[in-house]
Amino acid sequence: MAKMMYRDAVRNTIFQEMKRDDSVVVLGEDVVGGMGTDGGPEAIGGIWSTSTGLFGEFGADRVIDTPISESAIVGAAGGLALCGKRPIAELMFADFIGVSLDQIWNQIAKFRYMFGGKTRCPAIIRMVYGAGYNAAAQHSQSPHAILTGMPGLKVVMPTTPADVAGLLREAIRTDDPVIFMEHKALYGIEGEVPDDPDFTIPFGHARLTRAGEDVTIVATGMMVGMAEQAADALAEDGIGADVIDLRTTSPLDEEAILDSVEVTGRLVIVDEAPPRCSLATDISALAAEKAFASLKAPVQMVTAPHTPIPFARELESAYLPNPDKVEAAVRKALAYS
Amino acid sequence: MQLSREDLLQAYRRMKTIRDFEELLHDEIQTGEIAGFTHLYAGQEAVAVGVCEHLSDDDKIVSTHRGHGHCLAKGCDVTGMMKEIWGSREGLCKGKGGSMHIADTDKGMLGANGIVGAGAPIAVGAAMAAKLDGKDESGRLKVSIAFSGDGACNQGTTFEAMNMAVVTKVPAIFVFENNHYSEHTGFEYAVGTQQDIASRAEAFGMKVWRADGTDFSAVHDTMSEVLEYVRAGNGPAAVEFDTERFYGHFEGDPQRYRGKGELDRLRAERDCIKKFRETVTEAKLLEGSDLDTVDAEVAKTIEEAVAAARAADRPTPEDVLADVYIDY
Ligand SMILES: Cc1ncc(C[n+]2csc(CCOP(=O)(O)OP(=O)(O)O)c2C)c(N)n1
Ligand SMILES: [Mg+2]
C-alpha cells in the first residue's frame, strides 16, 4: 500500500499502464503544458497535475498536447482506438462534452454496435467534473446522467484514490469505450492505494462504505462523503445506514442496491446533478420496479435543483446536496408509516 | 485619424479603469475573498477600448472567459461588475454568473463565456439580426463583434462561424486577440498557420487586417477602416491584434512557461497604457497632469466600487431558483 492523493492515483496509474503497454497514449489540452513556450514542455504539467512527467518519459507521440479542439480530441481518440491503440483523452472540464458530444455519442459509443460487433473501441475519455469551486454554470456540472444513458459507453465515477487506481486500470484494459469522471473536489484527498501493478476493480461492483439496517443511501463521487457524514450522524441516534458508492453508473450494480433495500426498506439517493432524467430518478425507478414489495417509504432523492449552477458561494452551497439534507431525507423516510 | 482631446481622455479613462479593476482583483484574490476562476485582461486594454470606442449600445460584442475588459469597454457598470465578481445579488447578473459570465445585453454586451470558441457563432447570429434590422438613415449597418483568443481560433466553432458569416454576408467582425498563450501552451505550437491567425480568416474569404494591439491608435485606426467596410454592407471581416497578457492565465497560475524576465520586458516595452501616455504627451495632445487627474478619478471609482461590492446584499438560497425560465 502507498498513501497518495486522488490526482496522483490518476497520474501514477496512467504512467504504469503506459510503461506496460505501448499502445496506451494520452491526448488533451495542456497535458504536457508549456509546449511552444520559453519554459518548454512540462513547464506546467496540466492544470490538474494528472499528467505530470508523462511527456518526459514517453515523448510527444504518446503524450499528445492538443490545441483547444475538444471535438477533434475525442474524435481522434475514437480513431486511435479503432486502429488498435488505447487512447486516454482528457477533457479539462466535463462541461466540454458539449463541444465534443457528437464524437462521444454518435461515434465512439456506437462503433461496435453499428459495425455489427466487428470492432473494438477501447477509448477512455477522462473528464473533470463537479461543483465546489464556485466555477459557475459552465465549469461545475456533473453530466453523468446523459452519458450513463448512452448505450455503448461505460461510465466510471471513482471516489477514493484506491478506486481511481483500480477502476482506471480496468478502464485502460477494457476493450469498450469508457467515460472516466474525476471529481475536481476530490483531487486533493488522500488514501491508501495497493502496490500491485495489476490491481483492478471490475466495473459494476459497488462499494459498501457504511453498513446499517435502517436505510440505504446510494451515492457517487463527492456525494459519497456527504452520505457517510450523514450516516455517521444518524448512527449516533442509533440509526443504521448502508452507504453504497456505486463506483460505476454503467454498468450499474443493481444487486447491491436491491439487496440492501430488501433489508432496509428505505432508499435515499444522493445526486449532485439536477433531478430530471437523472441518476437519482434512474435508481428510484429501479427500486420501484424491482424492490416495490420491500419499500416501507417513498424513495427520497437528494439532488441539485432543476437549475444551472450558480456562481456565488451562498448560491452554490444552497444548490448542492449536503450532509444535513441527506440526514433530513433519511429522517423523512424513517418517519413515513 | 486624430482623436479629439475629449476622445483621447475618454479612451485613456477606459483603459485605465480596466487596468485598475484587474490589478485590484489580482490583489483581492490573494485574500480569498473572491470566489471562482478569474482571468485578468490587464495588458490587452488597448484592444477592447480601441474596438469598443467605435461602437454604440446597438452594436453587439460577444466576449470570452477573459471578459472584464470587453465589458468595461462596452460600457458595463463598474460597480455592477464588481458586485457580480463579489457574488452579490446586486451584481450585474445577480451573483449567478460571476467573472466568467458577466453580461449586459442593454449595453450590447452579449456575455463573457466560459466555453472557449462558443462566442463566434453567437456573434454571427447577432450579425444576422443586424442585417435583418438593416441600415440606418446614414446607410450604416449595426455590427456584431466576436472577441476570440489565439486558443479559441483552434475550435471548430470558430471556423464554422467564419465560413457562415462569409456565406451569409453578415456584418460580423472577428477580432482575434493574439496574446501568444492559450493557458500554458504557446501560440507557435498550437496554431498551425505559423505566426498568423488572420490568414485563416482570409482563407475563409474575408478581408483581414493586422495591427499592434498594444498601440491604442493602431487599434483604433484599424477599426475605423474595418468598421467602415463592414457597416457599408460588404460582409464580415477579421482583425488580428498582437497583444500581451500581464498576469497568469487564471489567478493562481505560476506561469512557469514564461521566459526569464519576460514579464518585466512586457511591462517595460509592451504596456499599452504606458505607451499611450508617452505618445499623447510627446505629441502634446494631452498634458501629463490631465492623465494624472484621470488616474486619480479612476482610482477613486474602483475604490468606491469595491466598497460597494463589499457592502452589497448577499444572495439568499431562494435566489437559486429564480430566472431559470421566464414562465414555467
Ligand atoms: C471548450 C473549452 N475548452 C477548454 C477550456 C479551458 N480554457 C479556458 S481558457 C483556455 C485558453 C484560451 O486561450 P485563448 O483563446 O488564447 O484566450 P486567452 O486565455 O489567451 O485570453 C482554455 C484552454 C474552456 N474554457 N472551454
Ligand atoms: Mg491567448
Side-chain angles (χ1 to χ4, degrees):
Chain A
M1 288 286 195
K3 197 168 185 152
M4 69 179 76
M5 281 193 280
Y6 185 100
R7 64 155 53 85
D8 296 329
V10 174
R11 184 258 168 212
N12 289 355
T13 306
I14 295 174
F15 188 92
Q16 289 169 0
E17 289 297 288
M18 289 185 81
K19 272 267 187 220
R20 185 188 62 82
D21 181 350
D22 284 346
S23 67
V24 180
V25 301
V26 165
L27 68 163
E29 292 156 19
D30 272 326
V31 293
V32 178
M35 295 300 268
T37 70
D38 284 357
E42 299 208 302
I44 297 185
I47 71 161
W48 304 114
S49 308
T50 49
S51 49
T52 314
L54 297 180
F55 177 86
E57 183 70 22
F58 302 108
D61 289 343
R62 291 182 66 199
V63 184
I64 304 165
D65 200 287
T66 68
I68 308 176
S69 310
E70 284 81 7
S71 199
I73 293 168
V74 176
L80 280 157
L82 287 181
C83 298
K85 306 301 176 199
R86 293 185 175 275
I88 307 175
E90 177 183 291
L91 295 182
M92 196 181 286
F93 288 85
D95 313 68
F96 307 159
I97 62 164
V99 184
S100 53
L101 201 58
D102 177 67
Q103 295 293 342
I104 297 175
W105 184 36
N106 281 320
Q107 313 302 330
I108 285 179
K110 297 174 180 165
F111 284 145
R112 182 172 177 81
Y113 190 82
M114 293 189 300
F115 300 169
K118 272 202 287 283
T119 192
R120 287 160 204 266
C121 185
I124 299 179
I125 318 295
R126 289 178 46 231
M127 55 183 74
V128 184
Y129 78 103
Y133 274 67
N134 306 107
Q138 298 172 341
H139 284 74
S140 309
Q141 298 170 94
S142 298
H144 49 279
I146 44 174
L147 296 160
T148 301
M150 290 178 190
L153 298 178
K154 293 177 175 172
V155 181
V156 185
M157 301 178 78
T159 305
T160 67
D163 278 8
V164 165
L167 293 165
L168 184 52
R169 191 173 288 104
E170 177 73 10
I172 294 169
R173 298 183 184 188
T174 296
D175 281 341
D176 286 311
V178 177
I179 303 292
F180 196 84
M181 302 185 66
E182 297 159 23
H183 200 296
K184 60 175 81 70
L186 297 178
Y187 269 143
I189 64 155
E190 278 192 323
E192 297 289 343
V193 174
D195 296 323
D196 178 4
D198 289 317
F199 167 61
T200 55
I201 297 171
F203 293 165
H205 291 268
R207 182 174 68 102
L208 188 69
T209 84
R210 295 285 188 279
E213 306 207 326
D214 300 312
V215 63
T216 303
I217 310 177
V218 174
T220 55
M222 184 169 75
M223 301 297 103
V224 174
M226 294 182 181
E228 288 172 340
Q229 279 183 52
D232 294 345
L234 290 159
E236 287 180 15
D237 284 351
I239 300 164
D242 268 356
V243 174
I244 297 175
D245 173 1
L246 289 177
R247 282 179 165 157
T248 64
T249 59
S250 177
L252 178 68
D253 189 349
E254 295 191 2
E255 208 176 290
I257 301 167
L258 295 170
D259 287 353
S260 172
V261 171
E262 205 169 287
V263 174
T264 63
R266 294 181 172 87
L267 175 61
V268 174
I269 307 149
V270 195
D271 189 353
E272 193 176 328
R276 300 293 312 281
C277 299
S278 64
L279 182 65
T281 55
D282 187 59
I283 293 167
S284 178
L286 173 77
E289 192 183 5
K290 298 187 181 166
F292 185 70
S294 311
L295 287 174
K296 297 178 202 153
V299 175
Q300 304 295 315
M301 297 190 283
V302 183
T303 70
H306 183 64
T307 78
I309 304 184
F311 159 69
R313 285 199 175 97
E314 295 89 335
L315 295 175
E316 191 192 64
S317 43
Y319 171 93
L320 279 173
N322 62 36
D324 289 344
K325 292 180 190 175
V326 178
E327 197 182 322
V330 169
R331 292 191 188 279
K332 198 171 160 201
L334 287 165
Y336 191 85
S337 53
Chain B
M1 188 181 71
Q2 194 42 66
L3 288 173
S4 71
R5 204 184 128 76
E6 284 65 41
D7 287 346
L8 285 172
L9 278 172
Q10 154 135 326
Y12 181 73
R13 180 185 303 278
R14 286 230 148 104
M15 291 201 288
K16 188 69 177 149
T17 302
I18 298 171
R19 178 67 56 89
D20 281 15
F21 191 96
E22 300 296 60
E23 295 201 320
L24 175 119
L25 289 181
H26 177 72
D27 292 341
E28 289 297 331
I29 281 163
Q30 324 292 327
T31 71
E33 201 174 321
I34 297 168
F37 296 151
T38 316
H39 307 83
L40 301 183
Y41 191 74
Q44 304 181 200
E45 294 88 347
V47 177
V49 177
V51 170
C52 292
E53 283 300 286
H54 291 281
L55 308 180
S56 77
D57 288 355
D58 287 338
D59 296 311
K60 313 298 184 195
I61 67 166
V62 183
S63 171
T64 70
H65 56 286
R66 199 175 302 289
H68 303 167
H70 306 137
C71 294
L72 288 165
K74 195 70 173 56
C76 292
D77 179 54
V78 178
T79 307
M81 282 178 61
M82 201 68 92
K83 287 178 174 173
E84 184 60 30
I85 289 165
W86 248 261
S88 159
R89 72 196 304 258
E90 296 171 20
L92 217 45
C93 305
K94 300 185 186 167
K96 293 280 183 51
S99 166
M100 262 192 298
H101 306 293
I102 296 178
D104 189 348
T105 48
D106 293 341
K107 297 279 179 198
M109 201 292 163
L110 307 190
N113 208 311
I115 302 297
V116 170
I122 298 167
V124 171
M128 287 170 171
K131 190 179 174 192
L132 285 168
D133 290 347
K135 291 183 174 165
D136 63 14
E137 343 36 278
S138 55
R140 290 149 52 91
L141 287 166
K142 294 180 283 190
V143 298
S144 159
I145 294 188
F147 285 99
S148 306
D150 48 289
C153 86
N154 294 322
Q155 280 288 30
T157 46
T158 309
F159 295 166
E160 293 171 26
M162 287 198 280
N163 186 54
M164 194 182 286
V166 169
V167 301
T168 56
K169 212 172 172 205
V170 292
I173 300 168
F174 299 88
V175 171
F176 290 104
E177 291 181 83
N178 186 351
N179 63 8
H180 316 114
Y181 293 101
S182 54
E183 279 196 354
H184 311 148
T185 298
F187 152 77
E188 279 84 3
Y189 174 79
V191 178
T193 42
Q194 293 288 309
Q195 312 293 330
D196 188 50
I197 297 169
S199 65
R200 289 188 172 177
E202 208 160 23
F204 279 107
M206 257 180 276
K207 193 162 156 70
V208 303
W209 282 259
R210 297 172 178 84
D212 179 356
T214 68
D215 176 347
F216 172 79
S217 60
V219 175
H220 194 268
D221 289 354
T222 303
M223 286 310 294
S224 297
E225 288 177 28
V226 175
L227 280 154
E228 191 174 302
Y229 174 85
V230 174
R231 287 196 195 281
N234 292 305
V239 203
E240 176 176 357
F241 292 116
D242 190 37
T243 182
E244 311 291 348
R245 90 165 135 74
F246 281 180
Y247 289 103
H249 167 64
F250 53 86
E251 284 306 275
D253 172 4
Q255 302 186 70
R256 288 194 296 271
Y257 46 83
R258 299 245 194 215
K260 221 172 161 211
E262 178 178 323
L263 279 171
D264 291 339
R265 184 181 57 75
L266 296 182
R267 292 257 185 196
E269 297 168 14
R270 298 274 292 157
D271 182 342
C272 59
I273 293 183
K274 205 169 136 211
K275 286 187 2 182
F276 181 95
R277 278 191 81 111
E278 283 163 9
T279 317
V280 295
T281 50
E282 271 163 30
K284 306 234 180 303
L285 298 165
L286 295 173
E287 296 290 325
S289 58
D290 297 331
L291 299 167
D292 294 343
T293 308
V294 173
D295 286 354
E297 286 165 6
V298 168
K300 189 155 168 284
T301 305
I302 298 293
E303 210 174 287
E304 286 170 1
V306 173
R310 285 219 169 88
D313 281 352
R314 300 306 304 172
T316 63
E318 297 73 59
D319 292 337
V320 173
L321 301 179
D323 293 325
V324 181
Y325 302 95
I326 295 164
D327 183 21
Y328 195 57

